[in-house]
Amino acid sequence: METEQKEMMCKYKKIICKIFGEQIQVIGESSVIGPMGQFQIRFLYEPTKIYVTLDADRGVFTLDLKDEAKDWNTLYRIKKFDNCMTEKCLENAAVILKQVLEENKFPLYKSENDKLYKKQDGTYRRIKDIYAELAGGE
């Protein structure tokens, strides 16, 4: 199983690098495959210095975004996609990721003093109602 996961990790890196070209670089990856096939690959999107982590676990993957200030979001919160751990799904997600990163209009979040803040266009705003935020409102 570990050999299959390492091959999948290699394929996933190639897919993302093919879609992004020189705009993205691999900056790290799991040295050990987890018991349930978990692994991570970390990338840096050069134009806006956004760190992207591909986290694969139990047949699905996530794409997490973080800036240099460690403010974060996940691609699935920005735009929905099928996250089954297949090459086709990853390819579709990588195309969506590239569009989102190129547009650079997505929010990032940070938690400070037990409060949640949303950063949009470089400005922070406190999230007072997390349920409204999750529903897409203010």
Side-chain angles (χ1 to χ4, degrees):
M1 181 166 143
E2 189 167 330
T3 303
E4 290 174 23
Q5 295 305 107
K6 286 191 183 218
E7 286 174 11
M8 188 177 293
M9 211 161 74
C10 188
K11 284 180 188 175
Y12 277 26
K13 280 192 290 190
K14 285 180 182 175
I15 288 169
I16 289 180
C17 289
K18 179 183 126 200
I19 289 169
F20 280 88
E22 293 182 9
Q23 292 180 312
I24 206 162
Q25 60 177 288
V26 178
I27 58 170
E29 64 185 56
S30 301
S31 57
V32 176
I33 304 294
M36 301 297 284
Q38 308 98 318
F39 64 83
Q40 275 189 350
I41 308 169
R42 291 173 304 285
F43 301 90
L44 174 61
Y45 179 68
E46 289 286 342
T48 55
K49 302 292 187 230
I50 295 288
Y51 296 90
V52 178
T53 301
L54 168 74
D55 201 346
D57 187 9
R58 300 177 193 199
V60 296
F61 66 88
T62 58
L63 290 162
D64 298 317
L65 313 175
K66 219 176 243 187
D67 67 5
E68 291 180 312
K70 303 224 185 300
D71 298 332
W72 50 268
N73 204 344
T74 181
L75 181 62
Y76 196 80
R77 282 199 83 244
I78 298 166
K79 190 157 184 170
K80 304 291 186 242
F81 59 92
D82 187 353
N83 67 337
C84 291
M85 203 167 1
T86 66
E87 290 177 42
K88 184 176 192 258
C89 288
L90 178 68
E91 201 167 302
N92 291 336
V95 168
I96 292 168
L97 175 64
K98 186 173 186 202
Q99 291 169 345
V100 165
L101 289 173
E102 285 175 346
E103 288 173 9
N104 199 23
K105 293 183 180 176
F106 56 92
L108 293 170
Y109 297 89
K110 77 174 180 175
S111 180
E112 195 172 87
N113 298 323
D114 294 326
K115 294 177 177 78
L116 181 65
Y117 296 87
K118 177 179 184 177
K119 179 168 72 173
Q120 187 88 43
D121 299 322
T123 303
Y124 289 97
R125 179 179 60 78
R126 182 164 171 225
I127 304 296
K128 294 179 184 171
D129 184 350
I130 187 68
Y131 299 108
E133 180 68 21
L134 291 172
E138 288 293 317

